[in-house]
Amino acid sequence: MGLERCVFDYQELLHNSTFCIIPRGRRLGSFRFLEALQAACIPVLLSNGWELPFSEVIDWSKSAIVGDERLLLQIPSTVRCLHSDKILAFQQQTQFLWEAYFSSVEKIVQTTLEIIKDRIFHQESRPRFFWNALPGGLLALPEYSTHLNDFPFYYLRHGSNPSSKFTAFIRAVSPIVSLSQPILKLIQAISKSEYCAQILILWSCEKPPPQSSKWPQTTVPLTIIQGSNVSDRFLPYSAIGTDAVLSLDEHTSLSTSEVDFAFVVWRSFPERIVGFPMRSHFWDANKGQWSYTSKWTNEFSMVLTAAAFYHRYYHSLFTNYLPARLRSLIDQIANCEDILMNFLVSTVTKLPPIKVTQRKQHRDTPPQQLLKSAPPSNGNLHFSQRQECVNQFVAWFGYMPLVHSQFRLDPMLFKDQVSVLRKKYRHLERD
């Protein structure tokens, strides 16, 4: 009687397995170990004395089971004792570690260099917690801080809250020639917010800024900062003294009620971008590339920084984590800095931004130099540049990090047919 040969798909079997035994063997063991991480299969190590990769900073006890190769027959009973919740936690941790440190040669090299850097500059080294919790040690820059409460993604885990005030950061590219200009009305509306600590104006106009007497009288400090490039809006300015930054364009129109509500929402989601104007992306099968769209629909994947709250840490990450060539690209075309910030934040959080209610619809506005040089076609050029930016950013990040959402937050009783006296943000509907 002949023997039948058993044929199976190894990769399918790997991805459908809960546990993967990793035997002794220098090359075979290391390769199988990484395969298991990628497949979210919990590694069961049977190699006494094997030093796991990056064990100096990674706590492998949360993602792998270390067995004694001399007690092989005890392994089945050991894994059967694990509760389903713990198995899920192990699988999630394997996926996190794979994505953060092992998914590419670049990630492995960068992790190695950062560990060496932490050894040399021990006083500014990352706590071990940073390496073992989302978003990972590579995205928690020790140059910014080594304290958990200074980062936007650790607040909720430790029961802390961001500061109760925000800094308004307005980029101005046009000279002040009239008292009715939108930027002056915007400053007045922002300064009336009970949560506003200060207003910073990033003056990116060729002409010098007006004298202090020409600006609106405000109850909060108003400071002018000189800037030229579009990437300057995301530099880590020491003048920003609050956790929250309200990023604004000069033509943005917002009421005080809108600002107050958006800030209250942001304090519940400090790791995300929370704001008003939304945009989206989609895969264009005909062109074989990603496309950018500004159509007003229920689904979105970006909230533009023309009117949005985010944590000031993203200024440091934007400047010190992203490559100089990406920042040079957006400076050269004076466009796409808001898209790049959305890519960065979604890479960190793996979550979409949050849209809050708004009275007026925001339109993409071409930069001033385009308006002067080519008025008939500046809109098309501006939009086509943003299309190209999306694909160039995807190429650098190695994947599409943006996440779609249909989630919008409105105040309680918003638009309900009840007395306005029952509504906290009653002015939001009639401003």
Side-chain angles (χ1 to χ4, degrees):
M1 186 174 180
L3 295 175
E4 293 184 4
R5 186 177 180 182
C6 180
V7 180
F8 60 88
D9 186 325
Y10 173 74
Q11 288 297 326
E12 181 180 356
L13 181 64
L14 184 68
H15 284 79
N16 289 331
S17 299
T18 304
F19 301 96
C20 292
I21 293 179
I22 311 298
R24 174 179 292 277
R26 183 179 303 174
R27 295 184 62 185
L28 179 63
S30 300
F31 181 70
R32 293 290 183 246
F33 180 74
L34 293 179
E35 275 192 327
L37 290 182
Q38 184 180 14
C41 184
I42 301 172
V44 180
L45 305 174
L46 295 176
S47 181
N48 294 1
W50 186 28
E51 185 74 15
L52 293 176
F54 304 141
S55 58
E56 181 179 336
V57 295
I58 295 178
D59 182 4
W60 288 108
S61 66
K62 296 180 179 179
S63 56
I65 297 172
V66 180
D68 191 329
E69 57 188 340
R70 296 167 298 182
L71 304 173
L72 177 61
L73 298 179
Q74 294 185 6
I75 295 299
S77 60
T78 300
V79 298
R80 288 195 191 102
C81 291
L82 292 177
H83 192 272
S84 59
D85 290 344
K86 190 169 186 179
I87 291 175
L88 177 59
F90 268 63
Q91 291 175 320
Q92 290 174 333
Q93 190 70 359
T94 61
Q95 284 290 276
F96 157 63
L97 295 175
W98 167 260
E99 292 290 340
Y101 309 121
F102 300 102
S103 57
S104 66
V105 174
E106 290 78 7
K107 289 279 183 71
I108 294 174
V109 172
Q110 187 181 6
T111 303
T112 303
L113 294 176
E114 290 298 319
I115 291 175
I116 295 173
K117 181 180 174 182
D118 280 0
R119 290 178 186 171
I120 298 174
F121 302 101
H122 185 68
Q123 296 299 324
E124 297 180 0
S125 63
R126 302 166 180 83
R128 206 160 189 244
F129 177 84
F130 284 11
W131 293 99
N132 294 280
L134 286 168
L138 300 182
L139 291 169
L141 304 180
E143 298 88 349
Y144 175 76
S145 177
T146 56
H147 300 286
L148 300 182
N149 289 341
D150 291 334
F151 292 87
F153 26 79
Y154 299 135
Y155 288 126
L156 300 181
R157 295 185 216 181
H158 294 270
S160 57
N161 295 302
S163 56
S164 58
K165 298 283 186 177
F166 69 81
T167 296
F169 196 84
I170 307 173
R171 182 169 184 259
V173 296
S174 306
I176 305 296
V177 296
S178 169
L179 294 177
S180 61
Q181 282 185 235
I183 187 173
L184 302 181
K185 297 179 180 180
L186 180 62
I187 290 173
Q188 291 177 328
I190 299 299
S191 66
K192 294 177 182 178
S193 171
E194 61 179 303
Y195 306 112
C196 183
Q198 60 178 334
I199 298 175
L200 302 180
I201 307 294
L202 180 64
W203 190 258
S204 301
C205 180
E206 296 177 356
K207 296 184 178 180
Q211 298 178 352
S212 57
S213 59
K214 300 294 184 180
W215 293 99
Q217 295 296 316
T218 63
T219 57
V220 297
L222 190 149
T223 306
I224 309 297
I225 299 175
Q226 294 289 341
S228 55
N229 298 321
V230 295
S231 63
D232 289 349
R233 75 183 305 165
F234 297 132
L235 289 175
Y237 295 101
S238 58
I240 300 177
T242 59
D243 292 331
V245 176
L246 173 57
S247 176
L248 298 162
D249 283 352
E250 62 177 16
H251 58 267
T252 299
S253 176
L254 289 176
S255 68
T256 306
S257 298
E258 287 174 305
V259 171
D260 286 348
F261 176 67
F263 178 66
V264 170
V265 171
W266 176 85
R267 294 197 76 221
S268 297
F269 305 93
E271 75 282 13
R272 301 205 220 178
I273 297 177
V274 175
F276 302 92
M278 62 182 186
R279 297 293 182 265
S280 190
H281 74 285
F282 64 94
W283 176 255
D284 190 329
N286 294 327
K287 296 181 180 179
Q289 64 180 17
W290 295 100
S291 289
Y292 169 89
T293 177
S294 58
K295 290 183 178 179
W296 196 262
T297 65
N298 290 330
E299 188 171 75
F300 63 95
S301 59
M302 291 172 272
V303 166
L304 304 186
T305 53
F309 282 98
Y310 53 80
H311 197 282
R312 64 176 172 178
Y313 173 63
Y314 292 124
H315 278 234
S316 293
L317 204 60
F318 189 96
T319 302
N320 300 314
Y321 177 77
L322 295 176
R325 67 179 181 86
L326 285 186
R327 299 196 302 275
S328 297
L329 168 66
I330 63 176
D331 287 337
Q332 182 179 357
I333 63 176
N335 198 353
C336 300
E337 78 284 359
D338 48 358
I339 299 177
L340 184 55
M341 177 60 86
N342 274 270
F343 266 71
L344 179 62
V345 176
S346 291
T347 297
V348 171
T349 63
K350 314 297 183 188
L351 297 168
I354 292 178
K355 159 80 175 156
V356 291
T357 189
Q358 184 181 21
R359 295 172 301 126
K360 296 183 179 180
Q361 182 173 331
H362 175 84
R363 298 183 181 276
D364 286 333
T365 303
Q368 291 297 309
Q369 53 265 46
L370 286 179
L371 291 172
K372 296 176 182 178
S373 60
S377 61
N378 55 55
N380 292 334
L381 175 61
H382 181 78
F383 192 81
S384 63
Q385 287 175 339
R386 294 172 80 79
Q387 295 269 24
E388 182 61 28
C389 283
V390 169
N391 288 282
Q392 293 198 40
F393 297 161
V394 169
W396 184 83
F397 282 91
Y399 73 110
M400 169 54 78
L402 299 178
V403 181
H404 283 106
S405 175
Q406 296 182 349
F407 181 64
R408 190 185 83 178
L409 286 174
D410 297 338
M412 187 72 71
L413 302 179
F414 181 69
K415 298 290 186 180
D416 284 0
Q417 298 299 318
V418 297
S419 171
V420 295
L421 298 178
R422 298 175 59 187
K423 301 182 180 184
K424 181 176 181 179
Y425 300 97
R426 59 182 67 99
H427 297 291
L428 190 59
E429 300 180 33
R430 66 188 186 192
D431 284 354

